[in-house]
């Protein structure tokens, strides 16, 4: 079943620390059992761990973190554990090991590792949080601002979300829902599994989480892959603004694709005409929304559907319907407990990791700059987020990346990524220095280390995880035809599920 357009609107899918890295003794046993019903599979095992809410008070209040395991297919060849985070922040991860395996992970990798997933603190089956968000508030990205007054309006909407979080039953927990604490939870998972080191694969925001873990616990990392790389500052105001840059980088791929199929969709016979159709629809929906879809949601929805080329037909069909004054179906996202925990965790991480600007004039200036530089969605990405009105300042400084530590990081990055542009990846690459190598792929979209995208990029990931083979110097992978057409029905279903999750 297709996801409603509103479901997939983009929100964000970051060495000093006040907390000692060894502040808490870890749970030493894991009791594997059946997974929760929504992720249940005979292949997956799940368990709950207790971890400190506040690592400065390791003997104080505890929360739970739910983990999953897809055991090695050949214990005789098992190297260790490979921990996953599929992004967010706030993305659930219990099902990800099985999803990744179903997409075509090589048999050698499935033999090499136990694949470990987890719902980060605050999310779903771990101790969940909620800001009591209304359905329309689940779209965290601010509305597109055409002028200074609309920035003021966005500020009021962001303030309301921040107030709801501060008044919620989860308010005492929210300040501790941070990337640094999630990284510490990962080390608790490592210890509970009885491993001296962990390997790691992180997508999108998961690259920042992996970088933080590699900075806090450098000697406990084995092979670390960071795919679609967030800048070294995490998901801060600069990263939010980069969504505008990413859209401008990526959209020409869709425009070229749609123009080649003009006889099917009628969106324009040339890329320039398809681009003109984008602005035509945005202006039309600003004046006369269709089924509750205004120009701002259209811009953000288009952005989210450029994350994978696999979604281009869905995007073209949506445009086609709107040109014919037909509303896309099911525009409302129900405020389920799962959606609540994921979005509330996202807000907490965004606002708890770093301090955001507090003055409206700063956002008005940013919006004016980005609306000119990145006119497709810059007026939204640079607008006011709830962190501008967050009740509490971060409890500790951000974790800094540096070149001090083992040289065991592999960064993989598309040239035209709509969510984590190449510019941020280059900054993270520079921050890690000789600890890292980077593979850059001449490809658009969000994600490299998936077998149906680019064989060169995927081979770089698997060669490193399986054989420990990492490029001696940074590497470039040329463009390839998208391989999604060769997916089996099971792989197609898994790819679509993952694509939807990456967009959230």
């Amino acid at each position: 079943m297709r996801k409603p357009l509103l479901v997939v609107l983009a929100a964000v899918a970051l060495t000093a620390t006040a907390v000692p890295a060894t502040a808490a003794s870890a749970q030493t046993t894991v009791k594997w059992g059946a997974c929760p019903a929504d992720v249940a599979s005979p292949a997956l095992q799940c368990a709950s761990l207790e971890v400190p809410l506040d690592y400065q008070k390791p003997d104080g209040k505890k929360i739970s973190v739910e983990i999953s395991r897809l055991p090695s297919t050949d214990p005789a060849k098992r190297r260790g554990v490979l921990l996953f985070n599929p992004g967010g922040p706030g993305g659930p991860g219990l099902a990800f090991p099985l999803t990744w395996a179903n997409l075509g992970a090589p048999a050698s990798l499935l033999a090499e590792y136990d694949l470990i997933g987890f719902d980060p603190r605050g999310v779903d089956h771990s101790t969940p949080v909620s800001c009591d968000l209304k359905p329309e508030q689940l779209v965290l990205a601010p509305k597109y601002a055409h002028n200074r007054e609309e920035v003021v309006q966005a500020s009021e909407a962001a303030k309301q979300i921040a107030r709801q979080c501060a008044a919620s039953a989860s308010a005492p927990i929210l300040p501790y829902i941070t990337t640094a604490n999630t990284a510490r939870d990962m080390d608790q998972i490592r210890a509970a599994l009885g491993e001296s080191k962990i390997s790691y694969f992180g997508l999108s925001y998961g690259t920042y989480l992996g970088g933080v873990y590699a900075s806090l616990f450098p000697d406990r990392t084995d092979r670390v892959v960071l795919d679609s790389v967030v800048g070294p500052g995490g998901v801060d105001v600069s990263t939010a603004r980069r969504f505008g840059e990413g859209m401008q980088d990526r959209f020409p791929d869709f425009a070229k694709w749609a123009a080649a199929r003009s006889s099917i969709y009628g969106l324009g016979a040339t890329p320039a005409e398809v681009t003109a159709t984008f602005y035509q629809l945005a202006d039309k929906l600003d004046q006369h929304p269709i089924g509750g879809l205004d120009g701002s949601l259209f811009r953000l929805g288009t952005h989210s559907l450029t994350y994978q080329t696999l979604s281009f037909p869905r995007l073209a069909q949506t445009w086609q319907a709107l040109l014919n004054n037909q509303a896309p179906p099911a525009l409302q996202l129900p405020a389920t407990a799962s959606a609540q925990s994921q979005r509330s965790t996202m807000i907490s991480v965004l606002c708890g990791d770093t301090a955001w600007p507090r003055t409206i004039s700063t956002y008005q200036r940013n919006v004016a700059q980005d609306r000119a530089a990145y006119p497709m969605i810059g007026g939204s990405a640079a607008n006011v987020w709830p962190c501008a009105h967050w009740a509490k300042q971060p409890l500790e400084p951000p974790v800094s990346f540096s070149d001090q530590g083992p040289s065991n990081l592999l960064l993989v990055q598309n040239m035209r990524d709509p969510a984590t542009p190449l510019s941020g990846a280059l900054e993270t690459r520079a921050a890690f220095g000789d600890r890292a190598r980077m593979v850059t792929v001449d490809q658009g979209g969000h994600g490299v280390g998936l077998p149906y995208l680019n064989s060169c990029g995927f081979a770089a990931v698997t060669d490193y995880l399986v054989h420990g083979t990492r490029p001696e110097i940074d590497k470039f992978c040329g463009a390839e035809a998208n391989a999604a057409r060769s997916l089996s029905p099971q792989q197609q279903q898994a790819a679509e599920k993952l694509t939807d999750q990456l967009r959230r």
Side-chain angles (χ1 to χ4, degrees), residues 355-371:
W356 288 51
R358 311 286 285 193
T359 60
I360 292 178
S361 61
T362 298
Y363 293 95
Q364 289 173 324
R365 181 172 61 252
N366 291 349
V367 164
Q369 292 173 353
D370 289 7
R371 197 171 54 230

Side-chain angles (χ1 to χ4, degrees), residues 10-152:
V12 227
L14 224 112
T15 53
T17 174
V19 183
T22 56
S25 59
Q27 182 176 321
T28 56
T29 59
V30 176
K31 296 181 179 179
W32 295 108
C35 290
D38 60 334
V39 294
S41 164
L44 274 182
Q45 304 166 330
C46 288
S48 294
L49 299 182
E50 275 198 344
V51 300
L53 172 66
D54 180 359
Y55 278 88
Q56 293 191 61
K57 299 176 181 177
D59 297 322
K61 180 178 174 61
K62 299 293 194 296
I63 59 174
S64 69
V65 172
E66 190 78 6
I67 65 174
S68 64
R69 178 175 70 169
L70 186 65
S72 161
T73 57
D74 189 346
K77 296 181 179 179
R78 181 185 178 278
R79 176 184 179 84
V81 299
L82 175 60
L83 192 67
F84 290 93
N85 181 274
L94 284 186
F96 190 82
L98 187 58
T99 298
W100 202 64
N102 287 341
L103 284 172
S108 55
L109 190 147
L110 299 179
E112 195 88 1
Y113 298 98
D114 291 344
L115 306 187
I116 306 296
F118 70 108
D119 281 354
R121 56 169 55 204
V123 177
D124 280 12
H125 301 290
S126 297
T127 299
V129 296
S130 173
C131 286
D132 302 320
L133 300 172
K134 300 175 183 177
E136 63 272 16
Q137 292 175 318
L138 295 171
V139 183
L140 295 183
K143 294 197 69 171
Y144 189 95
H146 301 82
N147 51 54
R148 293 172 63 86
E149 179 56 34
E150 289 181 353
V151 177
V152 176

